[in-house]
Amino acid sequence: MRIDMSSDRLRLREFRSSDVEDLLRVYGDEETVRHLSFTPRTAEQCNAIVQGAIRDAEADPRTVYMLAVAADDDRVVGAARLAVDERPHSAQIGFALRADLWGRGLGSEMVGLLLRLAFDTLELKRVWGARSPDNELSRRVMLRAGMIEEGRIRRHLWTRGAWRDSVVHSILDDEWRATAAGRS
């Protein structure tokens, strides 16, 4: 199944080989990845991510949706990932948006698209995401999407030479439908 879905200002689509340079502007930027689980990526690493996403799109069954987040001009301004858990009723999401676009509501649109994919297209029952405790913008985006803060996983990730906790948020399919109905 190929993914191509849009909101008012963003498009969630499959990665193409030509997206590497744009992805580098996302994953290669220190400010953008400051709260993520990795340090800035190189062009070679971004190419590997894009090529992996292209391969994942061909898998059957598909369990990883690593998707480009494109603006009106189809240039990649972010990355969104949905990975179906071993128990195929749930999935984890992850997302990144270029730092120069923060504070404009685009993160909420991006997460809204991921949740539409999860609940309306894939018919999952639960979606969860983890964030750095210091990532206030991500916290607000997930809460705005109707996700509930479940708690903290202590010493969850080794990143940037230290252990980091993660805060988990989740939303269930019936909560999503109630939230979506409230937006209509």
Side-chain angles (χ1 to χ4, degrees):
M1 167 186 356
R2 308 288 298 167
I3 304 303
D4 192 342
M5 49 196 321
S6 298
S7 62
D8 290 340
R9 299 175 290 171
L10 296 176
R11 179 177 170 212
L12 202 60
R13 63 164 173 79
E14 303 293 348
F15 269 107
R16 301 185 286 249
S17 293
S18 59
D19 292 327
V20 172
E21 188 175 314
D22 287 343
L23 182 61
L24 182 60
R25 289 189 191 103
V26 179
Y27 280 173
D29 178 63
E30 176 65 41
E31 180 62 14
T32 299
V33 302
R34 178 169 41 117
H35 294 296
L36 300 183
S37 61
F38 54 84
T39 56
R41 299 298 192 209
T42 65
E44 294 78 22
Q45 290 169 319
C46 287
N47 182 57
I49 291 166
V50 168
Q51 297 312 313
I54 291 168
R55 281 190 305 278
D56 288 339
E58 301 301 321
D60 185 25
R62 186 173 182 180
T63 58
V64 177
Y65 298 81
M66 181 66 185
L67 302 165
V69 179
D72 291 335
D73 61 1
D74 204 38
R75 297 201 57 143
V76 174
V77 297
R81 185 175 186 271
L82 183 144
V84 178
D85 294 332
E86 286 182 31
R87 293 189 171 92
H89 72 282
S90 71
Q92 180 182 14
I93 60 169
F95 49 91
L97 181 69
R98 274 189 359 218
D100 63 317
L101 299 174
W102 292 353
R104 301 180 188 183
L106 294 172
S108 294
E109 281 187 43
M110 181 172 38
V111 170
L113 285 167
L114 277 172
L115 295 178
R116 272 182 42 206
L117 170 63
F119 295 124
D120 295 346
T121 304
L122 301 177
E123 299 180 347
L124 298 174
K125 301 298 179 193
R126 178 179 188 272
V127 172
W128 65 281
R131 66 170 174 83
S132 162
D134 297 330
N135 192 340
E136 179 61 24
L137 288 175
S138 184
R139 182 185 78 79
R140 286 188 284 187
V141 162
M142 288 194 275
L143 291 175
R144 194 173 299 122
M147 298 178 80
I148 306 299
E149 188 173 308
E150 290 187 338
R152 181 182 291 247
I153 304 171
R154 298 182 309 154
R155 290 190 186 160
H156 182 227
L157 295 171
W158 177 263
T159 183
R160 300 174 189 264
W163 285 105
R164 190 199 86 192
D165 294 356
S166 292
V167 178
V168 175
H169 294 252
S170 73
I171 186 169
L172 305 177
D173 60 339
D174 54 333
E175 295 166 340
W176 163 253
R177 294 194 202 311
T179 302
R183 286 191 293 263
S184 299

